[in-house]
Amino acid sequence: MRILVVEDERRLARAIGHGLEDHGFTVELAHDGETGLWKGREQDYDAIVLDLMLPGLSGDEVCRQLRAAGCWTPILILTARVGAEAEAGGLNLGADDYLRKPFSYQVLIARLNALLRRTAPARPVNLVVGDLVLDPARRTVRRGTTPIELTRREFSVLEYLMRNAGSTRSKAEILDHVWGADFDREPNVVEVYVGYLRRKIDQPFGTGSIRTVRGHGYLMGDEDPRAPEPVATGDG
């Protein structure tokens, strides 16, 4: 799951980011309203954690403009404001939930998980490609009845590929959705992690779920590993 945290207190933003990453989320940070608005409009997130007291563009205005632009990403507001009026104001602008500072990370994680469950009814409980099954809630993977142990990052790469099964995804897209747009390492890190996954989910079972599309990226599907690798066609 990919989360945008918009918080101007940098130490708090980093702490929130680390806390969410420890629970399996991929996190991007923004420290002012303008950046948060741009990221929220231009990139795909599963949820946005939004502080109200931001420099430049306030969190209230960020929320209002995102909704006006047709962006319906779930928004969880964080604020030090007190009182029912402040809480109602954010919710009336289109936010989905509200958490007052100071807060516990246990409550933040629980609120986010509840929000994601409420706002994503179309997502399957399990992701299935052939006999490969990934459970996003329990963070488990199995091939048939055989459980497969993955690291947090391996799990995130596999989840993204399985959510996009049948569609080729480039290294840049995988980097953006799993590591975040601010990640500054070489795209070859994707190739490394795909190799890790193949050694765990395919090679021991004689399968070829993750296929390389030469010149384009990776394709997740239930394929015969002996078949030739697909080649990207067209202008893309």
Side-chain angles (χ1 to χ4, degrees):
M1 296 293 183
R2 193 162 177 247
I3 308 296
L4 173 63
V5 176
V6 189
E7 168 61 63
D8 64 315
E9 296 181 35
R10 291 175 181 264
R11 179 180 294 181
L12 176 59
R14 288 193 298 270
I16 293 172
H18 292 324
L20 292 176
E21 287 172 348
D22 286 344
H23 284 79
F25 294 98
T26 298
V27 180
E28 286 191 34
L29 303 178
H31 301 299
D32 60 79
E34 288 84 354
T35 303
L37 177 61
W38 179 82
K39 284 178 175 282
R41 279 177 169 173
E42 299 299 324
Q43 301 181 43
D44 293 327
Y45 299 97
D46 293 285
I48 297 172
V49 177
L50 177 65
D51 183 35
L52 291 186
M53 303 295 288
L54 296 170
L57 202 63
S58 71
D60 290 313
E61 188 61 18
V62 171
C63 184
R64 189 192 68 77
Q65 290 196 35
L66 285 174
R67 294 310 190 226
C71 173
W72 296 104
T73 303
I75 294 176
L76 172 64
I77 284 178
L78 296 179
T79 185
R81 297 177 186 172
V82 296
E85 183 176 347
E87 181 174 349
L91 296 175
N92 287 336
L93 286 171
D96 299 275
D97 203 353
Y98 191 101
L99 188 59
R100 185 175 298 128
K101 300 177 181 177
F103 57 87
S104 75
Y105 288 103
Q106 183 178 3
V107 172
L108 174 61
I109 297 296
R111 290 282 188 92
L112 271 177
N113 283 332
L115 191 59
L116 292 167
R117 287 194 299 269
R118 290 200 306 268
T119 56
R123 287 181 177 167
V125 174
N126 290 337
L127 301 176
V128 181
V129 175
D131 64 347
L132 183 67
V133 181
L134 182 148
D135 185 332
R138 294 183 175 86
R139 300 193 67 77
T140 59
V141 177
R142 60 181 170 85
R143 171 78 73 180
T145 59
T146 305
I148 301 172
E149 294 294 329
L150 299 180
T151 67
R152 178 175 62 83
R153 193 72 74 184
E154 290 166 353
F155 186 93
S156 296
V157 173
L158 181 61
E159 181 180 8
Y160 179 67
L161 291 173
M162 290 184 73
R163 287 194 184 279
N164 293 279
S167 176
T168 302
R169 290 297 180 223
S170 69
K171 289 181 181 178
E173 288 173 320
I174 298 170
L175 269 178
D176 187 27
H177 283 80
V178 175
W179 278 266
D182 299 328
F183 186 72
D184 59 1
R185 290 177 62 183
E186 292 295 322
N188 284 341
V189 70
V190 174
E191 186 176 336
V192 170
Y193 273 85
V194 168
Y196 294 158
L197 284 173
R198 283 171 168 160
R199 287 194 288 273
K200 291 184 177 182
I201 70 169
D202 281 334
Q203 291 176 8
F205 305 95
T207 56
S209 300
I210 305 176
R211 312 195 70 206
T212 301
V213 181
R214 294 195 301 275
H216 192 67
Y218 298 99
L219 174 66
M220 187 85 197
D222 187 23
E223 298 287 346
D224 185 340
R226 296 167 296 181
E229 296 289 2
V231 179
T233 58
D235 296 333

